[in-house]
Amino acid sequence: MSETGTQAAPAAARGARIRPPRPSSKPNGQWKIDGTEPLNANEQFKQEDNGLNVRERIETVYAQGGFSSIDPTDLHGRFRWWGLYTQRKPGIDGGKTATLEPHELEDEYFMLRVRIDGGQLTTEQLRVIAGISNDFARGTADLTDRQNIQLHWVQVEDMPEIWRRLESVGLSTTEACGDVPRVVLGSPVAGIAADELIDPTPQIDEITRRFIGDPELANLPRKFKTALTGHPSQDVVHEINDVAFVAVEHPEHGVGYDVWVGGALSTVPRLGERLGAWASPDQVAEVWYGVARIFRDYGYRRLRNKARLKFLLADWGVEKFREVLETEYLGYRLADGPAAPKPPTPGDHIGVHRQKDGLFYVGATPIVGRSSGTQLAALADLLEAHGSTRLRTTPHQKLVFLDIAEDRVESLIAGLDELGLSARPSLIRRGTIACTGIEFCKLAIVETKENARIAVLELEKRLAGVDLPAPLSLHINGCPNSCARIQTADIGLKGQIITDDDGNKVPGYQVHLGGGLTAHDREEAGLGRTVRGLKVEATGIADYVERLATRYAESREGDESFAQWAHRVDEEVLR
């Protein structure tokens, strides 16, 4: 669909029909109902010692003793509270992912996740991350779809110095992973966009200052994800977060936030739901705190695969959830509020846009978020040479560069091109994201980043003459867990081992089609459809996407979007 199109996407499921744990004689581990007796090994280690406490042992014991000195429970559990996961040992193929024990899959190196709340960075901070990448992480640096930066090949011996460097410029890895409040997504153009409704930065800052690193919230049933935006493009994928705040103008109270709860993807996807409640800016932190404590106190803990907030919401429903929030946790009733209107513009912020102060911001994309220490350092230099010290990461594996004078915009774009980032990318490069994949992830079955890079470069050639009206979102994931949001993409590829035409077991992907979040060309979020038996070999991504894009361009009706087309046509057209 064109950017001015108004045709709605077809009705699509807001999520799988997830069920809460079935009633039985066994407790579900809800603290306020069943008590706090730990019901599995994860709950046991979290109660034995708060995950935040492992920092001291890393600095005083493990950094001196090396990998072999690390207590197994700390290694596979509490290290996550400080952004550390062991990474996959090279050379283990995807067919062994589900058959080997974690210690058989892992290397003696770590992925380190640097937490970047709201995606807000300075060139000084970027240069420090670049230095850490080059000095301690073999030059690796990946932009995630949650506004963080991930490094690889990190050794525990280097963590004290890495933390010293990060914290000297106001960065941290606190609760970047684990059963805790994860990074707070924020609009990448917060405080600068000319069309912004409200700047959510004060609310993001209050949440992170008051609650991140708080021991009282460091033992949640599982991860807890947050998003806030004040921009009309709704640019923080709010429908797939546990709690989200979307700017909207209330007819009586002015601009505040529409409150959403219960979104998450993974293997059992469910889109979030509006509470129907409006929160003023000074209420946001308390509402966030209330939702987090509901999750802590009522979330299911006995079965880890049922331990996300979406399962509790499926059990309670929105009306009860709001009632519990207001009566047990807030002590007052929130105002009823309207839904935000459909976004008028794309939310990835690619291209050149005027700021409210008359300067410009420029959104640019690498290929599927892959960067390096060398590139990040060069970006810091380039931005400063153009008179700016501010940039933002985005939930789409992109970067936004702020505060550029009009007469310097083209020079910046040319410099970005030289560094491998495009502010005027092809529609396929613009819409493609990929998770970490088998290169580093112990859960992965298939390669992602490199397969995606090859496919993007090939498709840019093949689709040059194809009339695509909008970016085609291609999301590539190395396993079923959907870190790359496969169910909410035009084309989502889920990694698995498949059987080729000759009967051989090879890396490939199951295909999801026609998913998407609320956007300028989509009235509401919906999950993609799957076609029975439709799978693509890892080496065949470009062939399949070319075939599909060409068929869409030739047979779409009017300003029909890809998602609408994919839900309308017969299955055979999608093969």
Side-chain angles (χ1 to χ4, degrees), residues 3 189 192-195 231 233 345-364 399-406 409 413 423-424 430:
E3 291 194 7
V189 295
I192 63 161
D195 54 348
H231 196 264
S233 67
T345 58
D348 62 3
H349 302 297
I350 290 297
V352 180
H353 309 267
R354 186 178 293 275
Q355 297 179 182
K356 62 178 65 175
D357 60 4
L359 296 173
F360 288 80
Y361 64 89
V362 178
L399 288 169
V400 179
F401 303 95
L402 313 185
D403 307 330
I404 307 301
E406 186 171 7
V409 167
I413 290 173
R424 299 183 177 110
R430 181 172 179 172

Side-chain angles (χ1 to χ4, degrees), residues 244-416:
F245 301 86
V246 179
V248 65
E249 185 166 6
H250 193 284
E252 297 176 14
H253 305 300
V255 177
Y257 297 91
D258 187 29
V259 183
W260 290 66
V261 295
L265 293 180
S266 192
T267 56
V268 185
R270 192 178 198 275
L271 297 173
E273 297 186 57
R274 298 181 58 240
L275 281 187
W278 179 90
S280 66
D282 61 2
Q283 291 174 324
V284 166
E286 288 304 316
V287 172
W288 181 95
Y289 186 42
V291 175
R293 286 184 293 156
I294 286 176
F295 184 41
R296 180 193 64 191
D297 298 342
Y298 287 105
Y300 303 124
R301 293 176 181 260
R302 180 170 67 88
L303 299 175
R304 192 159 175 80
N305 63 354
K306 300 284 187 181
R308 292 296 301 275
L309 187 64
K310 61 186 173 182
F311 292 97
L312 182 66
L313 183 66
D315 183 10
W316 282 6
V318 170
E319 184 176 340
K320 178 177 178 179
F321 194 101
R322 180 174 175 179
E323 179 186 2
V324 171
L325 173 64
E326 292 172 336
T327 59
E328 292 189 32
Y329 292 88
L330 294 179
Y332 59 86
R333 180 170 174 79
L334 294 165
D336 294 336
K342 190 182 80 166
T345 58
D348 62 3
H349 302 297
I350 290 297
V352 180
H353 309 267
R354 186 178 293 275
Q355 297 179 182
K356 62 178 65 175
D357 60 4
L359 296 173
F360 288 80
Y361 64 89
V362 178
T365 179
I367 298 181
V368 296
R370 177 126 289 177
S371 188
S372 67
T374 299
Q375 185 187 61
L376 295 183
L379 287 171
D381 291 342
L382 178 67
L383 193 55
E384 289 177 356
H386 284 78
S388 174
T389 60
R390 296 197 299 165
L391 68 153
R392 305 277 169 83
T393 56
T394 85
H396 303 282
Q397 297 180 342
K398 312 291 191 284
L399 288 169
V400 179
F401 303 95
L402 313 185
D403 307 330
I404 307 301
E406 186 171 7
D407 63 355
R408 305 301 306 279
V409 167
E410 290 303 321
S411 173
L412 176 70
I413 290 173
L416 292 171

Side-chain angles (χ1 to χ4, degrees), residues 492-512:
L493 302 181
K494 179 175 73 177
Q496 57 185 228
I497 301 300
I498 68 173
T499 303
D500 67 13
D501 293 339
D502 298 323
N504 301 310
K505 299 292 186 181
V506 297
Y509 306 93
Q510 184 186 54
V511 181
H512 297 254

Side-chain angles (χ1 to χ4, degrees), residues 8 60 73 143 253 273 281 287 394 476 530 553:
T60 62
T73 304
L143 306 173
H253 305 300
E273 297 186 57
V287 172
T394 85
I476 303 176
T530 57

